[in-house]
Amino acid sequence: MMLAADIGGQIDFSPERRFHGTQHAVLLGGANLLIVGTRTGSNIGLYDFGAIARRHAMDLLVARFSGPVAAYDIYRCKDDQWFTGYQRAWFKDRFWLCPPDDVDQPFILAHRRGLQFSSHAPFPDARRFEAGLSLAAQTSTQWQEAA
């Protein structure tokens, strides 16, 4: 739910009332983005998650949590394509999903109107990129402790 709040927009906490198969998910209505969280390992459940998103013509963001580390898988419905192993970062008050270093995949801006894909990094240099990843990885408790 915090992930949906970070992205912004109108949040539907019970999309299963209108969209079959979306239990345990939240929907960002203006973005047509379904968000689910799981503790399963990478690439597990992609077919099942993708089938639900495809059925309802929605993009999908899967947050995978393993202890304090999170990875993100993104399904782009219009292309029927998965982008996996992403990390999140903040840059200029925007929420970005960044591909793994060794993969030539797009950077993704997540905001209240949807996902925007870019072939260019939003960061001017590697140092600012690492700082953005570091800031995005902080929990609210860590932010409070730092303050």
Side-chain angles (χ1 to χ4, degrees), residues 25-69:
V26 295
L27 174 65
L28 291 181
N32 199 35
L33 178 64
L34 193 62
I35 301 174
V36 296
T38 183
R39 292 193 184 278
T40 61
S42 61
N43 298 326
I44 296 174
L46 293 183
Y47 177 79
D48 297 329
F49 290 136
I52 292 167
R54 200 171 25 260
R55 180 182 324 135
H56 301 297
M58 296 177 185
D59 290 335
L60 174 69
L61 177 58
V62 179
R64 297 183 182 278
F65 300 98
S66 176
V69 178

Side-chain angles (χ1 to χ4, degrees), residues 1 22 31 34 36 45 52 58 75 105 110 127 130 133 137 144:
M1 288 189 253
T22 60
L34 193 62
V36 296
I52 292 167
M58 296 177 185
Y75 176 73
Q105 291 184 343
R127 182 180 300 157
E130 292 301 325
L133 288 176
Q144 290 172 358

Side-chain angles (χ1 to χ4, degrees), residues 68-89:
V69 178
Y72 302 89
D73 298 332
I74 300 95
Y75 176 73
R76 189 175 191 183
C77 186
K78 77 176 190 173
D79 299 327
D80 191 26
Q81 185 174 4
W82 278 100
F83 301 92
T84 61
Y86 276 62
Q87 294 179 312
R88 71 177 180 159

Side-chain angles (χ1 to χ4, degrees), residues 86 96 99 103-109 116-122:
Y86 276 62
W96 286 89
V103 178
D104 185 26
Q105 291 184 343
F107 288 83
I108 303 169
L109 172 62
Q116 291 182 345
F117 291 71
S118 173
S119 58
H120 302 289

